[in-house]
Every structure is written in structure tokens, then in C-alpha cells.
């Protein structure tokens, strides 16, 4: 979800929950797949990951 400021400019990146195809694509990033299954991103820099251990 993106929020708009008073001038209509989008601020923040919000939370993006991955589709199954996106999960497969993002799992190819080595440092993420070591920790579990990435399911979402917040502000395009922080990943939510399901720990598989």
C-alpha cells in the first residue's frame, strides 16, 4: 500500500506480499534462501521470511 502526501506524491513503499512466482524468483537470492522462505517485502529493503528450521 502506498500513501500519498498532501501534494499527491506517493510516500513510502508499503508492504508487498509475494505471489508464488515472485517467491520462486526471490528465493534465488542466496542470502535470503539461507534463512528461509521470503514471503513479502517492506519498503523494498526489508524482507519478511518464514524460518524453515
Amino acid at each position: 500500500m502506498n500513501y500519498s502526501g498532501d501534494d499527491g506524491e506517493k510516500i513510502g513503499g508499503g508492504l508487498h506480499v509475494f505471489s508464488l512466482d515472485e517467491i520462486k524468483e526471490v528465493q534465488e537470492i542466496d542470502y535470503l534462501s539461507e534463512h528461509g522462505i521470503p514471503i513479502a517485502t517492506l519498503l523494498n529493503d526489508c524482507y519478511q521470511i518464514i524460518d524453515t528450521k
Side-chain angles (χ1 to χ4, degrees), residues 6-37:
D6 292 336
D7 60 358
E9 183 179 336
K10 290 184 180 182
I11 54 176
L15 175 69
H16 173 75
V17 178
F18 297 136
S19 68
L20 293 176
D21 288 333
E22 289 173 315
I23 288 173
K24 283 194 247 180
E25 184 179 313
V26 175
Q27 271 187 309
E28 293 176 5
I29 301 172
D30 289 336
Y31 71 90
L32 290 177
S33 62
E34 301 174 358
H35 301 288
I37 301 169

